[in-house]
Amino acid sequence: MRSLWSNDVTKLLLFLVATFALAAFLVPQVYNLGMFLGEITANKSVNPFLDYVGTHARKADYARFFNRSLYLAALILLPFLLFSLEAKKAIATTRGPRSFALPARSIAPNRGQALVRPPHPFRQVLGGFLLGSVFLSAAGALAILFGFFGWKGTSPSAVIPEAMTTATVVALLEEFIFRGVILGIFLRTFRPSFAIVFAAFLFAFLHFLRPPDGLVMANPEGLWTGFDFLQVTVQRLFEWELILLQFAPLLLAGVLLGVTRFLTSSLWLPVGLHAGWVFAFTVFGDLATPREGHPEWTNFVIGENLAQGLLPLATLGMSALIIWVVYREPDYYEEVHPDSPLDPSPT
């Protein structure tokens, strides 16, 4: 029993449960603060940051407030999780202060675990961003070409700066949490293939937990409203069509990001790839809208946005093929330290 409670995966699961509970408790306060900032910044400018937050708060639904509360709860509890994992037992590397390796008791090979700084990190970020945004934008262009979507008439210059900010913040935060912390924890316990799949499943699960469209909370400021919201949201897990159309693309995206982190031993390329997806997704959502009157089977080709259907899945496949060809034999990996217990050389 002691080994169960001291297991890193058990600690992570407890961390996730506590995060959701704390988020449900925080969301009424976050909602009140957002509404307050929205009212203040509606008529006058305070400063660029508060103006940005206030603008988002005025347009956000309750699901967005819960999502932001979830991030806040995770950041509050993350230091306790890291302290419990005893990261100081990590293997020493020779790459310098930007490097980090997992503890010696890990059963997976050192390659792909140590987070190292590659020779050209910003080239990886830019390459990943272009790879993600261009392919997904091409899927959006095809959706418009075949009449699945139509233009809203919004100017691209009005949405691109905000979309870039959103993409940068979301990619940095989520890649640090999911591919940096969570995947690193799973690599301590499971082999790389299982660790990547489990981390991707968790990534997809947390993104899939959204309420039904049009849900309006009767008392958004109520103390227990966050828990009511969470209960309604979990019920979507029993809708199999949603799992097929929405959960599957999220799962494969998580697998691709995990494999990318494993192949490059860094978060630079996953951050760029993730930012490219979020940027294309956000811009397309602001510029285009689904058209009515299509046969039901077309939902399997493209859903209500660029995260649903076979067409976005095809872009993931093309991105995965390119990443595998380019990075399956990288030449900058850290050699196993001679004093490391993972040193494969005979004694």
Side-chain angles (χ1 to χ4, degrees):
M1 181 62 69
R2 181 179 179 182
S3 61
L4 175 64
W5 289 108
S6 62
N7 185 277
D8 292 338
V9 175
T10 302
K11 295 175 183 178
L12 175 62
L13 294 177
L14 291 174
F15 164 77
L16 293 174
V17 172
T19 298
F20 272 93
L22 181 59
F25 177 77
L26 290 175
V27 64
Q29 287 73 33
V30 173
Y31 177 84
N32 289 333
L33 179 60
M35 292 296 99
F36 176 72
L37 291 176
E39 292 177 1
I40 291 179
T41 57
N43 300 318
K44 65 177 182 179
S45 176
V46 180
N47 62 57
F49 175 74
L50 292 180
D51 292 344
Y52 173 80
V53 175
T55 300
H56 272 266
R58 290 193 296 272
K59 299 187 297 182
D61 55 10
Y62 202 79
R64 182 65 62 86
F65 282 107
F66 187 87
N67 183 267
R68 297 301 178 261
S69 300
L70 200 60
Y71 285 135
L72 178 60
L75 290 175
I76 292 174
L77 297 177
L78 185 60
F80 299 97
L81 174 65
L82 296 178
F83 179 79
S84 70
L85 296 176
E86 299 180 349
K88 63 183 180 180
K89 294 182 180 179
I91 303 169
T93 63
T94 58
R95 286 280 184 178
R98 288 192 178 94
S99 299
F100 178 79
L102 294 174
R105 59 191 174 86
S106 176
I107 64 173
N110 194 43
R111 173 179 173 177
Q113 289 191 7
L115 290 178
V116 301
R117 188 176 188 271
H120 306 288
F122 295 106
R123 186 184 301 176
Q124 287 193 3
V125 172
L126 179 60
F129 181 85
L130 293 176
L131 188 63
S133 60
V134 169
F135 277 143
L136 198 57
S137 298
L142 289 176
I144 292 176
L145 179 64
F146 288 105
F148 298 126
F149 282 76
W151 294 109
K152 289 181 179 179
T154 307
S155 172
S157 61
V159 301
I160 287 179
E162 183 177 334
M164 182 62 73
T165 301
T166 301
T168 301
V169 173
V170 169
L172 287 172
L173 184 60
E174 292 193 356
E175 289 311 301
F176 171 75
I177 293 175
F178 286 102
R179 257 58 62 179
V181 177
I182 293 178
L183 181 54
I185 293 171
F186 283 165
L187 283 169
R188 295 183 175 197
T189 306
F190 306 110
R191 298 190 180 278
S193 57
F194 291 110
I196 290 171
V197 171
F198 291 159
F201 183 87
L202 187 58
F203 172 80
F205 174 77
L206 295 179
H207 282 76
F208 180 74
L209 283 180
R210 293 188 58 83
D213 294 335
L215 176 66
V216 177
M217 305 305 296
N219 182 24
E221 300 179 0
L223 181 62
W224 305 108
T225 304
F227 294 93
D228 296 334
F229 175 87
L230 191 58
Q231 180 182 359
V232 174
T233 302
V234 170
Q235 293 176 358
R236 298 180 78 240
L237 295 174
F238 302 97
E239 301 180 27
W240 293 104
E241 183 177 350
L242 293 179
I243 292 178
L244 179 63
L245 296 179
Q246 299 180 21
F247 186 82
L250 288 169
L251 177 63
L252 293 180
V255 169
L256 177 55
L257 290 169
V259 170
T260 302
R261 176 252 199 252
F262 188 82
L263 290 176
T264 61
S265 282
S266 74
L267 297 179
W268 296 91
L269 185 58
V271 165
L273 190 62
H274 197 155
W277 289 339
V278 175
F279 176 77
F281 177 87
T282 304
V283 170
F284 185 80
D286 289 337
L287 297 181
T289 183
R291 286 181 173 174
E292 302 292 338
H294 294 287
E296 187 174 352
W297 65 266
T298 59
N299 292 331
F300 291 93
V301 179
I302 182 73
E304 298 178 352
N305 52 56
L306 289 184
Q308 303 174 12
L310 296 176
L311 193 56
L313 282 178
T315 68
L316 292 179
M318 290 185 289
S319 299
L321 178 61
I322 293 175
I323 290 173
W324 178 256
V325 170
V326 174
Y327 289 102
R328 72 183 187 278
E329 295 290 346
D331 58 359
Y332 59 82
Y333 278 112
E334 184 103 34
E335 295 294 333
V336 178
H337 194 276
D339 297 330
S340 170
L342 295 177
D343 185 3
S345 60
T347 56

